[in-house]
Amino acid sequence: MGLLSELKLAVPWGHIAAKAWGSQQAPPILCLHGWLDNANSFDRLIPLLPKDFYYVAMDFGGHGLSSHYSPGLPYYHQNFVSEIRRVAAALKWSRFSLLGHSFGGVVGGMFSCIFPEMVDKLILLDSTPFALDSKEIPNLLTYKRKAIEHTLQLEATQKPSRVVSAAEMLQGFLKNNSHVGEEGGQLILQRGTTQVATGLALNRDRRIALPEHCFDFVSRELFVHAMKQLQARVLLIKSSQGFYDVRRDNDDDREPMLFLLDTLKSALKERFQFVEVPGNHYVHLNQPQRVASIICSFLQGEGGATQP
């Protein structure tokens, strides 16, 4: 299944970039990448998935080849959720499935609860439908303050993007993303950088460099309520060496994940499927064959394909 096309979808601040595989007449699946990644993180997985779907992998605003938000406008979690609605409107989709890795799954999960009638199936790759505020309550106001101060600092300094050699860029990327292999790192940087005269510069907006810009932490009460709104069938694929918390400091605590799984099972019953696979947070990029057959079965299983 070759890449069909690169898409540029108009939005008020510029465009959302995306890449598409398959026939536009087939049932659509929107693929949502992780925080600071881009649409290329699905390049090795999508060719292994069923050919009778139309796959569109978007770059969230400020990521990949998508436009940065206008100066002065902050990035908030709900902005990313609304980008899904904008993409669906631009492509004239009334119902579709979502495939989200990490942050993309958290954004897709919130969208699926706000617009339940629009989402047929929700596939979460080492992700959860929401980020729980389990240990975050004492920090939430600090995050809001940091997000505002970080933006003001960047606006005041107006430093140009750092330009480095391709080798240095890859080395830095792999150092900050220990779960990504070299081949996967090159794929993500291919879409995440621009060649300039003296080397490579990162495309992404520096305002999204702090996770508190991008994640909304929700209470357990809100999570339980939201899961009851879901109409989609949900598949959650957990990597055995993946992440259990947005904050890596809390990664040893599995209790919030168990709570999430229990809530999903209770709310969705037979509409929820959980599978654990060997691998790390980027198993879909490093060893895509480990998750592809599970996703294929889920997509082609009960309920079948839904036309747009």
Side-chain angles (χ1 to χ4, degrees), residues 139-151:
N139 307 318
L140 290 181
L141 293 177
T142 310
Y143 294 158
K144 292 180 188 303
R145 177 176 175 140
K146 271 173 74 177
I148 292 168
E149 289 182 337
H150 177 68
T151 300

Side-chain angles (χ1 to χ4, degrees), residues 205-273:
D205 194 325
R206 285 180 299 160
R207 286 176 288 175
I208 56 174
L210 299 176
E212 42 270 25
H213 283 271
C214 304
F215 285 91
D216 253 1
F217 295 98
V218 304
S219 67
R220 294 185 180 219
E221 291 78 8
L222 178 55
F223 178 72
V224 170
H225 171 75
M227 290 307 99
K228 290 174 183 169
Q229 313 311 308
L230 267 180
Q231 294 177 20
R233 299 180 67 80
V234 178
L235 167 65
L236 197 162
I237 299 178
K238 186 81 195 73
S239 311
S240 57
Q241 286 86 50
F243 295 138
Y244 284 82
D245 198 279
V246 173
R247 298 280 163 214
R248 305 299 173 242
D249 307 348
N250 301 335
D251 233 20
D252 290 339
D253 184 5
R254 306 291 162 91
E255 190 277 329
M257 174 59 80
L258 295 173
F259 170 79
L260 285 160
L261 293 176
D262 284 346
T263 304
L264 283 160
K265 283 176 198 161
S266 170
L268 304 180
K269 300 183 169 58
E270 72 285 346
R271 286 188 289 124
F272 176 60
Q273 184 182 346

Side-chain angles (χ1 to χ4, degrees), residues 163-230:
V163 177
V164 298
S165 69
E168 196 180 340
M169 181 70 79
L170 181 61
Q171 190 181 11
F173 180 85
L174 296 177
K175 185 182 172 188
N176 293 326
N177 299 273
S178 59
H179 284 221
V180 184
E182 189 167 326
E183 191 181 338
Q186 286 171 333
L187 259 181
I188 291 174
L189 287 176
Q190 185 184 59
R191 193 175 181 89
T193 57
T194 296
Q195 181 78 47
V196 293
T198 52
L200 293 177
L202 281 173
N203 292 344
R204 70 171 180 249
D205 194 325
R206 285 180 299 160
R207 286 176 288 175
I208 56 174
L210 299 176
E212 42 270 25
H213 283 271
C214 304
F215 285 91
D216 253 1
F217 295 98
V218 304
S219 67
R220 294 185 180 219
E221 291 78 8
L222 178 55
F223 178 72
V224 170
H225 171 75
M227 290 307 99
K228 290 174 183 169
Q229 313 311 308
L230 267 180

